[in-house]
Amino acid sequence: RAVLSRVPMTIIADLTYRLGPRVLFDGASAQLPEGARVGFVGRNGAGKTTLFRLISGEIAAESGSITLPRRAKMGRVEQEAPGGPGKLIDFVLAADIERAELLHEAETAQDPHRIAEIHTRLADIDAHSAPARAARILSGLGFDEAAQNRALSEFSGGWRMRVALAAVLFTQPDLLLLDEPTNYLDLEGSLWLVEHLKTYPATAIVISHDRDLLDAVCDHILHLDRAKLTLWKGNYSGFEKQRRELMAVQAKAAKKQEDKRKHLQEFVDRFRAKATKARQAQSRLKMLEKMEPTAAIVDTDVLPIHLPSPEKQLSPPIIAMERGSVGYDERVVLSRLNLSLSNDDRIGLLGANGNGKSTFAKLLAGRLQPMGGDIVRATKLEVGFFAQHQVDDLDLSDTPYRAVARLMPDAPESRVRARAAQMGFSGERADTKVDQLSGGEKARLLMGLSTFHGPHLIILDEPTNHLDIDSRAALIEAINDYTGAVVLVSHDRYLLEACADRLWLVADGAVKEFDGDIDDYTKLVLQASRGGDGSKGVKVAEKKPSPVREKR
């Protein structure tokens, strides 16, 4: 809508909620200001999505309360992807229930006064510009004009989740709840979403591990830690700095108090038995009992990520292409490939989903054979390939220990366990079944297995979807410590900026060097998405046949 009603703050008061034996919220409280754009952060599994379910009334708290503004409209993307024969644009327009009902009533209303009221209200909510606004949102999320007029049922689940996001953004709720919205977006969609949320005219709470989004969009950070909520003013970088300073202050205060406690205890122990000092010892004992402990904030250690480097570098280039082409069956997806990859390159692959990034990655990895041209690979080239969808292919009955042992058939158990620990699975975690691992742990396991023997080239296709902010920082450190070549496909701008020193753009059936940085590419993407009718949106490619997945 053109104008939103101003609503008072959302208040979370003394909230307690348990999930089985785990306490997710223990007397947690926070007051979210009107119109705030709040980044909601915390470790994976801490309870962030649970709070969204509590706010939306899907589940009830054990105690405490959540007070929402009266008559405030709430918007949240449903867990299930929408489907059916209806057009994308019609699905998004139908999300504005009031507009749809008024338009329907306008067709049948007879009373002149009621007809006047209907048209006045339609004007108030800017109903007539709605189709253009819906088209702009869909265009920004990757749907060109042709795609917007196709049926929902023609798209995969990930693309239909984008449509669900578009519908929620179109309705402009007074309280917008977004749970990892960039997980089913490509970089182009993520860049557009960041720009859209920067000027969102109402209160928004966004669960995200995307630092760029949290820095560019948010003016408050809500932190969930140890079942408590703390609201910090500023973006994520500001939160991180303030929290580090608080940690240092509290650690110093805790040490000072511990020194005082130790001094008092030594006096008590020394003089308790002496009659002349007994009263003084007793008074110090009472002081000890009354001393409230000063809790130092101590972050749970983040396990490092290790990408083993190749034992020996190969002579460059490790891959060279001249007039190369690749595709599926008889259909060429990419052609005119004239590129070379050196042994220490850091390449970021840009381009909208459906343009062929994954196809190109499979060509580099040797999982797809070229259809034409000359592609020369260095002798003895070893490639490690991580693709996000492969996480779903892990054997759920397997364990990290057994998976590592298969790659070290002649090694003693102690060496196998040491290698599993290096991948982040020490002690009992090494014997935990895969189906009991978190999404982040599964991603760590697959990353460790796919790069196990120190390949010369590592290809990472959306490696961050299940990683929290600290684990993403660990991944950046691992990539920068690795001495081989890296090709990176990611919607995480922060990761690309920290790791890639060259950018290749996959578009228009080709792959070419992009002459510019991520800022330049952002401007290009936003310029393309501003076609008013959506006709200049990033093109959605036609469906490809599913490629045969590599056997493990």
Side-chain angles (χ1 to χ4, degrees), residues 433-450:
K433 288 188 176 181
V434 169
D435 67 349
Q436 295 176 16
L437 299 178
S438 68
E441 286 174 322
K442 289 176 183 175
R444 277 177 174 270
L445 175 60
L446 181 60
M447 207 174 295
L449 296 175
S450 58

Side-chain angles (χ1 to χ4, degrees), residues 125-170:
I125 64 175
D126 204 16
H128 298 296
S129 68
R133 188 159 53 87
R136 282 196 298 271
I137 293 172
L138 283 168
S139 173
L141 293 175
F143 300 97
D144 62 13
E145 187 177 18
Q148 292 174 24
N149 288 285
R150 285 164 56 187
L152 274 164
S153 56
E154 294 182 35
F155 293 87
S156 67
W159 283 102
R160 283 185 280 131
M161 288 305 293
R162 291 190 187 204
V163 180
L165 174 60
V168 171
L169 295 176
F170 172 71

